[in-house]
Amino acid sequence: SQTIHQWPATLVQPVGSPLSLECTVEGTSNPNLYWYRQAAGRGLQLLFYSVGIGQISSEVPQNLSASRPQDRQFILSSKKLLLSDSGFYLCAWRQGYNSPLHFGNGTRLTVT
Amino acid sequence: EDKVVQSPLSLVVHEGDTVTLNCSYEVTNFRSLLWYKQEKKAPTFLFMLTSSGIEKKSGRLSSILDKKELFSILNITATQTGDSAVYLCAVDLPTSGGSNYKLTFGKGTLLTVNP
């Protein structure tokens, strides 16, 4: 069966520090991968998605970036965090478009 | 402009009540609509709907899609305190380039079930 791992679970970082969140999927190949952010409230905002190795599409311009160095690995990065980057970051995968999206457990990031 | 609109935004009921949550959407080339339940952590998948008029059911939860009127409902019967959560609706929308699709979420309905 497929599983998705996301770490760390919580993170407290000072403003201006770098960020690296990692996500890996097991038990499948060539998944579509996604990074969402959920700020205060409930909305889930799509940040990046990838349909293959090295293919990254950005939905919202900001100081974050994403990379997919391997088929089942998705990384969210920032060179310098802003206070507004605080939130709940969720990695997700799906096998094609007409299939459910499955989420990792999320990373709660607090920028101080 | 929101393409996926959920209502109500919040709802408080007593155990045993039946609730109906609504999700309307605006999209051409509809592919699928999904429902999720989110408690403290990540959303968990409930249903995926692709065809109109077919009810999906799992225990006390059920959902139906109306492609003509562009909405879906999620019903929960005999609610329990464990049903308290945010319920999210998501629809596949074409990306800005038009060649891919992305799941776009509504703001969710916060359901509180009191004992």
Side-chain angles (χ1 to χ4, degrees):
Chain A
S1 64
Q2 302 90 0
T3 55
I4 178 169
H5 303 280
Q6 184 182 345
W7 65 95
T10 58
L11 194 58
V12 180
Q13 292 284 99
V15 168
S17 64
L19 172 73
S20 180
L21 302 181
E22 190 164 340
C23 168
T24 59
V25 180
E26 295 178 357
T28 187
S29 60
N30 198 30
N32 290 354
L33 297 172
Y34 304 82
W35 279 109
Y36 283 87
R37 179 170 62 198
Q38 190 171 36
R42 302 186 291 271
L44 276 165
Q45 180 187 40
L46 179 62
L47 303 175
F48 300 94
Y49 69 93
S50 171
V51 298
I53 296 175
Q55 300 179 54
I56 307 295
S57 296
S58 172
E59 285 295 302
V60 182
Q62 56 212 319
N63 69 321
L64 299 171
S65 63
S67 61
R68 185 171 176 172
Q70 299 179 42
D71 181 43
R72 292 168 290 171
Q73 183 185 27
F74 207 24
I75 298 171
L76 181 69
S77 304
S78 173
K79 291 182 180 178
K80 286 187 177 182
L81 284 169
L82 306 172
L83 284 175
S84 58
D85 291 324
S86 293
F88 190 44
Y89 288 81
L90 289 156
C91 181
W93 75 276
R94 66 195 303 195
Q95 197 69 58
Y97 295 120
N98 277 343
S99 61
L101 192 67
H102 300 281
F103 290 90
N105 286 332
T107 296
R108 202 163 294 279
L109 172 67
T110 303
V111 182
T112 60
Chain B
E1 182 182 332
D2 291 345
K3 301 286 189 179
V4 183
V5 178
Q6 293 187 245
S7 64
L9 289 182
S10 64
L11 189 57
V12 180
V13 301
H14 291 289
E15 268 192 317
D17 288 351
T18 293
V19 298
T20 297
L21 310 181
N22 304 290
C23 176
S24 63
Y25 60 90
E26 182 184 323
V27 63
T28 54
N29 298 322
F30 175 84
R31 284 179 173 260
S32 59
L33 183 147
L34 290 83
W35 283 98
Y36 287 82
K37 176 183 181 183
Q38 185 176 24
E39 296 173 88
K40 296 295 183 184
K41 293 191 174 181
T44 54
F45 170 71
L46 294 175
F47 300 112
M48 184 168 83
L49 304 158
T50 57
S51 300
S52 198
I54 297 175
E55 184 182 38
K56 290 283 184 86
K57 194 171 173 66
S58 176
R60 297 177 293 104
L61 277 66
S62 64
S63 183
I64 197 162
L65 174 70
D66 186 327
K67 287 169 72 172
K68 183 179 177 184
E69 300 298 329
L70 308 183
F71 77 90
S72 173
I73 60 172
L74 175 68
N75 278 323
I76 308 175
T77 59
T79 51
Q80 302 171 357
T81 55
D83 295 326
S84 295
V86 174
Y87 290 84
L88 296 163
C89 168
V91 175
D92 259 323
L93 296 179
T95 58
S96 51
S99 58
N100 290 306
Y101 282 76
K102 60 182 180 182
L103 268 180
T104 297
F105 285 80
K107 289 184 168 56
T109 294
L110 174 60
L111 173 65
T112 303
V113 181
N114 290 325

